[in-house]
Amino acid sequence: MGGSNKFDPNKDIPDLSGKVYVVTGGSAGIGYGICAHLLQHGCKTLYLLGKKEEHLAEAEEGLKQYGDTSRVKPIQVELEDLHQTDAVAKKLASQLTQLDGLVLNAGLGVGVYNETVDGLDSHMQVNVFAQHHLAMTLLPMLQKTPDSRLVFQSSEFHRMLTSHPSFESVGEINTDIGASPLYARSKLGQILQMRYFHKLKSQPGNKLGLKAGQAPWINATHPGGVVTDQQEQAIEAYGTMGKLGVKAVRPFMKDPMDEGCRPALYAATAMQVGSQPIDGEYIVPDCKVTDVSKEGKDEHLSENLWRLTETILRDQLGHLEYPTVLL
């Protein structure tokens, strides 16, 4: 790429023959774009995870124009239910013999405060806790696969906090701080999770077996301003003002199929990520590595969030199949 900051997925993704990917939130928007390009470039198997069966069926039908959909394995997962997420994660772990890329793309956008069936803020559960559990369950397979990738789909919203989270308790998480701050907090959470994963690589003998200079290469991405159904969540949260705001910015938003999926695809497929390597970084459109916010660099915050995540998952699910780091 040189310094051009350009990555055209139609031309720049290498041949993916023999590679296996898992993409969350793959049935619509940016996730669908990611899946389409992975299939287009010949991946061996694509596990497409989505919330609703009907959306998965629509996605599978639409993907026929990009490649052989017998390679696509649609899986329904409800990230607002940790027990159902756990069942899907364990089933995947039992089926996979390799995993070249896990793209944690699913997410709730700017929206009203809700609690999940597990009694947790839905933004944090969907965007952080549930996908952390999926990543941890599949981590051994990522470690087993050379040049594998773990990609967190974050956002520039991680910079837009109106409060200062400490990530110390469920009580704090289950406080309605407003639609945009809820989203921003969860996007910061994804940055902090990515950075703590990477930090563990510098700690010899860490419980996860992560090793410096070895895959999986772990990065977070920002898709840019993209037209997705998340704008409808903003309208629900803010009513008329939200509708006017979305109307004002929509002309400047990118198409998720063409441009919105580029940073995640770069992180998941580009040879440069493994050869340089690009690891523990934040990638913005198309393939530029940039700094995260001050809060995103806060190691105390990242440790707090990791501990809280482990506590919540253990309390909700009981015994975890993978080692905990801070408990």
Side-chain angles (χ1 to χ4, degrees):
M1 300 306 126
S4 69
N5 190 29
K6 292 296 181 184
F7 179 78
D8 183 346
N10 294 300
K11 301 183 297 182
D12 297 331
I13 293 177
D15 179 20
L16 301 180
S17 298
K19 294 186 179 294
V20 175
Y21 291 90
V22 172
V23 179
T24 67
S27 59
I30 296 168
Y32 178 81
I34 292 168
C35 290
H37 287 293
L38 293 175
L39 187 63
Q40 179 184 11
H41 289 273
C43 68
K44 176 184 175 183
T45 311
L46 173 61
Y47 291 88
L48 191 162
L49 276 57
K51 180 181 175 72
K52 296 182 178 180
E53 294 282 4
E54 58 266 33
H55 293 168
L56 289 168
E58 291 169 3
E60 190 174 11
E61 180 65 27
L63 288 171
K64 288 180 178 179
Q65 63 185 301
Y66 298 101
D68 179 6
T69 52
S70 68
R71 301 175 182 180
V72 179
K73 310 298 180 186
I75 299 176
Q76 188 275 328
V77 61
E78 177 51 84
L79 296 173
E80 293 192 41
D81 182 337
L82 288 173
H83 286 86
Q84 202 262 352
T85 301
D86 180 54
V88 169
K90 288 176 178 175
K91 184 176 181 180
L92 272 172
S94 70
Q95 292 177 345
L96 292 168
T97 57
Q98 71 181 82
L99 182 55
D100 296 271
L102 171 59
V103 183
L104 302 176
N105 167 77
L108 295 180
V110 173
V112 297
Y113 177 81
N114 284 304
E115 292 186 11
T116 67
V117 295
D118 301 298
L120 298 165
D121 164 51
S122 57
H123 282 85
M124 286 296 294
Q125 177 161 328
V126 170
N127 297 1
V128 180
F129 304 141
Q131 292 188 97
H132 174 95
H133 182 60
L134 183 64
M136 291 295 292
T137 304
L138 300 182
L139 183 61
M141 200 55 61
L142 286 167
Q143 291 171 305
K144 177 182 175 182
T145 309
D147 198 34
S148 64
R149 317 292 174 85
L150 174 57
V151 182
F152 293 77
Q153 185 75 279
S154 186
S155 166
E156 282 292 272
F157 252 87
H158 86 273
R159 305 183 192 276
M160 301 179 186
L161 295 167
T162 57
S163 60
H164 299 282
S166 63
F167 297 114
E168 291 182 337
S169 71
V170 171
E172 176 200 341
I173 294 302
N174 284 1
T175 300
D176 185 359
I177 56 177
S180 291
L182 287 168
Y183 178 62
R185 182 176 65 182
S186 70
K187 295 289 108 175
L188 172 63
Q190 291 171 315
I191 294 287
L192 293 171
Q193 294 279 42
M194 177 277 290
R195 287 177 63 86
Y196 199 80
F197 257 112
H198 184 257
K199 178 182 176 180
L200 291 172
K201 286 188 170 187
S202 66
Q203 300 176 353
N206 67 79
K207 293 182 181 179
L208 302 186
L210 289 166
K211 296 181 180 179
Q214 293 189 18
W217 310 121
I218 304 167
N219 295 291
T221 57
H222 163 56
V226 181
V227 178
T228 70
D229 61 2
Q230 288 191 353
Q231 283 88 57
E232 300 307 313
Q233 296 173 35
I235 292 172
E236 178 187 356
Y238 289 109
T240 301
M241 291 303 296
K243 187 174 183 178
L244 290 173
V246 169
K247 183 177 180 180
V249 300
R250 193 180 294 274
F252 304 99
M253 290 184 169
K254 301 173 182 176
D255 174 66
M257 180 69 208
D258 178 42
E259 296 184 81
C261 56
R262 291 185 180 192
L265 283 167
Y266 178 77
T269 68
M271 291 181 287
Q272 293 92 326
V273 171
S275 62
Q276 292 187 12
I278 299 171
D279 197 20
E281 301 288 0
Y282 177 52
I283 301 169
V284 301
D286 290 347
C287 52
K288 180 182 178 182
V289 172
T290 192
D291 250 350
V292 298
S293 68
K294 178 182 177 182
E295 290 84 1
K297 296 178 183 177
D298 190 322
E299 294 192 3
H300 180 65
L301 276 185
S302 66
E303 186 172 303
N304 280 357
L305 178 57
W306 193 282
R307 182 182 290 107
L308 179 61
T309 301
E310 290 187 333
T311 300
I312 286 170
L313 292 172
R314 186 188 61 184
D315 289 349
Q316 292 289 339
L317 299 174
H319 173 72
L320 299 175
E321 299 292 327
Y322 48 81
T324 55
V325 177
L326 296 175
L327 297 184

